[in-house]
Amino acid sequence: MMRPTEFAAQIAANHIIGNRDFTKKIGYFPTPSEGGRLLFKEVGLDFSSMADLGAGGGMLTAAAIEAAARSKFAKEIHCTLYENQIQIIPLLRKVMKYTQTWAKKMGIKFRYSIRCVDLMDVFLNEDFEYTLVVSNPPFVRVPAGSDLKEQAKKFMCKTNLYGAFMEGALKWTSQKGHLLLITPTSWKNGLYFSKLRENFLPKVRLERIVSFKHRHNVFKNVLQDIEFTIWCKGKRLTTKSKVKITLAEKLSKVEPYNEFELLHEALIPNRDRGEILTPDHPEQLALIQSVSDKLTQTLDDLKVEVLIGQVVMFRESDGVVNSKLRREVDLQLIREHHIRPTGLLNQVEGKELEQWIRQDSPNIKSRKNIVLVSRRGAKNDRRRLVTSFVTEHHGGIENKVMYLERTGRAAPTLMKGISAFMNSSFADIQIRCICGGTMINKGDLLRLRLPKRKNLLTLGKMLESHTEAKELDRLIASLFRLEDCVFDCWEGHFSPWKSQ
């Protein structure tokens, strides 16, 4: 008799996975059998009262029952499975009936009930205390102008459905109960999820994370970085509490290529403010700590404002002009791939820029001594931060580009220094821990720690003769007065700028 996870995978392959239009529309990506088993490697879970939120084909419940059998769980298990897609219910019932038969042979009494309800509504109006809540929620944004949009306004996260599921899962988990979640990593940063983080993190203790080297190796057709996380609600946190971290190549090969532990307080430096980091190597937090006394400033301290480009390319009213329609008087429109540490490109791969902007556009501005920040690192580049210092720019900036502008008195040398530091490994490793693989946003840059003003001014004066990446890192290391052995550790994490 095959295992329940194998049976669930077979059912999904025959009836769900091939229907790409259906799964994409509802944001449902069936959990592979390896993923189900991966979540339940831990021991000590109380399976007696379970909830599976957005159960789909029942893979997570099937994996839970297998885990209960491995751990010889002695109590009766009852699971409530919530799924609002009527066409999936017969398949879910079939998987649960099979799982129940398998459990009986293993000496486990397993009872289940299936509720086809609107979970968003039930989260708000019903209360439960489950000892274990599992969820692979829908990975979709809340559509503008929909009824769902009105519902979402009642949750901490108003933009993404999986945020509401996280909030609901937390609400329904009993004290000392566990939450096992499969979610994108994007909730860890950004303004959209700030209230969710501030509500969620103080109430739970993170116990395990499984991350993946490549986003496309987790769920087919999902272009987001995904994590599997295990949390315990209300469990006492001590200064010695640790988080187990597994980095895997792909879901079908879950043997880790890296596995380590980090202190909980190092990974979540401020629970009440909702600050959580995402290091992908055990040494990253230690490296940042090794220079923390040298990084005393923030952009706010330096009176530098973080702004976002105003031009949205698909809006005709913004004045965007394609290259073939360009007139002599049209101005440059800066896009993220024009930004290089060595300066702003006025050509791309030897060709004239692909888009320009009309000089009468309402978004045309003259800017002096600004630092342009590319945000393309989330998907395309190994580096998360690439910046250019620009003495003067008159034109438009696309909204995927951020730029830094000093309020009050202009300080070109300081801005050059800030740009140089942000192109170094000392900034890149920080920002990778702050936002992981998600796109950098304003809040992330405001959390970035920079050197003292005098060191930034020194950098600014030397910028023109130190634009090569490794040389820049060595210059900063000398300003920090790092010993060679300390800097050697930083060099081990060196990742070059994308080649031209």
Side-chain angles (χ1 to χ4, degrees):
M1 188 176 188
M2 69 175 71
R3 292 180 298 182
T5 52
E6 294 170 334
F7 184 79
Q10 188 179 90
I11 293 294
N14 292 336
H15 301 282
I16 302 174
I17 293 175
N19 192 344
R20 183 177 177 183
D21 291 339
F22 168 67
T23 56
K24 186 176 181 180
K25 180 181 177 181
I26 65 173
Y28 169 54
F29 298 94
T31 310
S33 57
E34 297 91 345
R37 290 192 291 270
L38 180 63
L39 260 179
F40 289 96
K41 276 189 171 182
E42 300 302 308
V43 295
L45 299 174
D46 183 351
F47 299 93
S48 57
S49 175
M50 282 181 57
D52 189 340
L53 311 181
M59 177 62 75
L60 293 182
T61 297
I65 299 306
E66 287 182 19
R70 286 196 303 273
S71 63
K72 297 182 170 30
F73 189 75
K75 297 179 184 178
E76 179 177 310
I77 299 173
H78 184 272
C79 180
T80 304
L81 299 101
Y82 296 84
E83 177 54 56
N84 72 340
Q85 298 297 319
I86 296 175
Q87 56 268 60
I88 293 180
I89 298 298
L91 306 177
L92 177 58
R93 190 172 285 117
K94 191 173 184 178
V95 171
M96 287 302 100
K97 188 174 181 181
Y98 181 92
T99 302
Q100 190 176 52
T101 302
W102 184 90
K104 188 175 181 181
K105 289 193 174 186
M106 296 294 161
I108 295 175
K109 190 170 184 180
F110 169 52
R111 297 167 57 229
Y112 68 90
S113 57
I114 298 173
R115 294 188 65 186
C116 187
V117 295
D118 178 356
L119 258 179
M120 300 283 279
D121 183 61
V122 180
F123 284 148
L124 294 169
N125 297 304
E126 297 185 28
D127 290 302
F128 300 100
E129 287 200 349
Y130 295 107
T131 59
L132 178 63
V133 177
V134 299
S135 183
N136 175 10
F139 301 164
V140 291
R141 290 182 65 84
V142 176
S146 65
D147 292 340
L148 201 57
K149 189 75 173 178
E150 291 304 309
Q151 274 185 312
K153 289 179 180 178
K154 300 173 184 177
F155 290 85
M156 301 285 179
C157 175
K158 300 174 175 57
T159 57
N160 291 72
L161 279 184
Y162 80 84
F165 271 66
M166 289 178 69
E167 187 179 338
L170 176 65
K171 178 183 176 184
W172 285 0
T173 303
S174 62
Q175 289 296 311
K176 305 297 174 62
H178 284 83
L179 299 80
L180 282 69
L181 304 173
I182 301 174
T183 63
T185 61
S186 52
W187 73 276
K188 291 183 173 182
N189 72 319
L191 185 62
Y192 291 144
F193 294 95
S194 59
K195 287 186 178 179
L196 172 66
R197 290 194 301 272
E198 290 166 10
N199 176 63
F200 190 86
L201 292 176
K203 297 176 182 177
V204 289
R205 171 172 150 175
L206 179 58
E207 299 195 335
R208 188 170 183 227
I209 299 174
V210 181
S211 297
F212 299 90
K213 190 172 183 180
H214 303 294
R215 61 181 66 190
H216 56 271
N217 284 341
V218 187
F219 295 138
K220 190 175 181 180
N221 302 320
V222 176
L223 297 178
Q224 297 184 65
D225 289 293
I226 306 296
E227 279 185 341
F228 291 42
T229 52
I230 298 178
W231 310 78
C232 184
K233 183 176 178 179
K235 190 172 182 179
R236 189 172 69 89
L237 191 65
T238 71
T239 55
K240 295 182 179 179
S241 298
K242 292 185 176 180
V243 181
K244 295 179 182 178
I245 299 178
T246 298
L247 301 177
E249 289 282 347
K250 52 187 177 181
L251 201 48
S252 60
K253 184 184 177 184
V254 296
E255 294 83 4
Y257 73 88
N258 203 345
E259 199 159 36
F260 52 93
E261 290 187 344
L262 288 174
L263 285 173
H264 189 284
E265 62 183 17
L267 203 62
I268 304 178
N270 194 316
R271 301 174 86 200
D272 294 332
R273 282 170 48 188
E275 291 185 2
I276 179 169
L277 301 177
T278 312
D280 56 18
H281 193 282
E283 289 184 3
Q284 287 179 347
L285 294 182
L287 287 176
I288 294 169
Q289 189 62 37
S290 73
V291 294
S292 62
D293 60 327
K294 313 289 196 306
L295 303 174
T296 60
Q297 304 289 290
T298 65
L299 292 172
D300 277 342
D301 295 333
L302 297 165
K303 295 184 171 56
V304 173
E305 190 175 2
V306 181
L307 302 163
I308 297 173
Q310 297 86 8
V311 181
V312 181
M313 290 187 299
F314 59 80
R315 290 184 191 154
E316 291 184 8
S317 60
D318 280 5
V320 177
V321 177
N322 289 328
S323 184
K324 62 182 178 180
L325 301 175
R326 184 208 172 196
R327 296 158 296 189
E328 193 66 32
V329 294
D330 291 333
L331 302 169
Q332 181 177 7
L333 172 60
I334 296 175
R335 297 183 62 185
E336 70 275 13
H337 53 280
H338 302 160
I339 297 169
R340 295 287 185 270
T342 49
L344 185 63
L345 298 183
N346 55 19
Q347 290 186 330
V348 179
E349 297 177 354
K351 298 178 182 178
E352 193 176 68
L353 298 181
E354 68 274 36
Q355 285 177 316
W356 301 78
I357 190 165
R358 296 197 312 265
Q359 64 173 346
D360 61 349
S361 167
N363 291 314
I364 291 294
K365 284 183 68 177
S366 288
R367 306 168 179 89
K368 291 186 177 182
N369 302 313
I370 62 172
V371 176
L372 295 159
V373 183
S374 170
R375 295 197 279 173
R376 70 189 187 285
K379 292 182 180 179
N380 303 323
D381 290 346
R382 292 174 64 193
R383 293 186 75 94
R384 292 290 179 258
L385 274 177
V386 181
T387 70
S388 291
F389 170 73
V390 178
T391 306
E392 187 169 2
H393 173 71
H394 181 67
I397 300 177
E398 196 243 338
N399 69 337
K400 288 184 181 178
V401 174
M402 291 187 292
Y403 62 98
L404 312 180
E405 198 168 47
R406 194 162 191 273
T407 56
R409 188 170 61 86
T413 305
L414 176 65
M415 298 302 283
K416 282 184 184 180
I418 290 172
S419 181
F421 177 77
M422 290 175 72
N423 280 318
S424 73
S425 295
F426 298 95
D428 192 63
I429 289 177
Q430 276 193 78
I431 210 71
R432 279 155 58 190
C433 288
I434 290 171
C435 64
T438 58
M439 182 175 282
I440 301 166
N441 58 50
K442 179 177 179 178
D444 301 326
L445 289 186
L446 292 174
R447 286 174 61 188
L448 189 69
R449 307 292 296 189
L450 294 92
K452 297 174 183 177
R453 179 187 171 91
K454 67 176 184 179
N455 283 340
L456 290 170
L457 290 170
T458 301
L459 273 177
K461 291 173 184 175
M462 303 178 73
L463 178 64
E464 291 182 6
S465 58
H466 292 90
T467 54
E468 197 276 328
K470 282 194 175 182
E471 185 63 28
L472 178 62
D473 275 2
R474 289 192 177 280
L475 172 63
I476 294 173
S478 69
L479 289 173
F480 286 172
R481 297 181 180 176
L482 297 182
E483 297 176 5
D484 289 343
C485 60
V486 176
F487 181 60
D488 287 345
C489 294
W490 282 90
E491 274 208 312
H493 289 260
F494 174 81
S495 52
W497 297 311
K498 189 175 182 181
S499 58
Q500 301 301 305

